[in-house]
Amino acid sequence: MQNFWPVLAVIAAYLIGSLSFAVIVSRVMGLNDPRTFGSKNPGATNVLRSGSKAAAIITLLLDAAKGWLPVMLVGSYGPRFGLHDGTLAMVGLAAFLGHLYPVFFRFVGGKGVATALGVLVGVSGWLGLATLLIWVLMALGFRYSSLASITAAVMAPVVYVLAGDTFWIMNASVAFGITVMALFLLYRHAENINRLIKGTESKLGKKAESPVAAPSHGARRGHSHRRSGKLAHSTEPQPPHSDKHRP
């Protein structure tokens, strides 16, 4: 039974991570499915493009919470069940991968930025705060969410190792888990990196363009008839009045 608890914890973390709150919140609030517009990414940034800041904030908080909760539970209550830092690292990684490849949504998920941040907060509040600060500074300075996320992802394992044993007790398993998350974040942002290089990446706060409905063929044809009819009426020569030309 003692060996079963780590497996159970990892499975539970993956299932929690598989809750795609971008889709769930959008449905509850009557918004368009975030997988159908903008970047088509089910995440808080794309929900923001729907025009609803409230929905984006709720999505962000819930996505972060599902990364934080399993790590916090294992860190706080795991030792009594024989769950230590190795399990904590696997649980955080499982919640993160659940967001990327959710079993409840045909394994099509988001890029995992908010969930990764939640995992880091669960590991250490100071680590999460430092990573969030990096994201905010990059986002304010360059107005690109993707660039901020990429920078924060790269810096997270660096900060964890450099500040280890000062603000938190560094563990090799946790460092490995954070590094794997960073690599997955870079992989999921490959298209964003290409767009950043080409200068075509969308900036923060830009609302997704709504599709413009094209007029029907019948409507265009009817409009054409009205114009041609009016033109024919205005150019048609008028017959002389019989009274005026009567001898």
Side-chain angles (χ1 to χ4, degrees), residues 125-137:
W126 290 111
L127 176 61
L129 182 61
T131 307
L132 178 61
L133 182 60
I134 293 170
W135 190 96
V136 170
L137 291 176

Side-chain angles (χ1 to χ4, degrees), residues 109-120:
K111 295 179 179 177
V113 176
T115 304
L117 178 62
V119 171
L120 297 179

Side-chain angles (χ1 to χ4, degrees), residues 7 24 103 110 176 196 214:
V7 176
I24 296 171
V103 66
F176 176 77
L196 285 167

Side-chain angles (χ1 to χ4, degrees), residues 10 13-14 67 70-71 86-100 115 119 173 176-182 184:
V10 169
Y14 171 76
V71 177
T87 305
L88 185 144
M90 290 190 296
V91 161
L93 191 56
F96 173 75
L97 292 176
H99 179 83
L100 268 58
T115 304
V119 171
S173 298
F176 176 77
I178 295 174
T179 302
V180 172
M181 284 198 305
F184 267 101

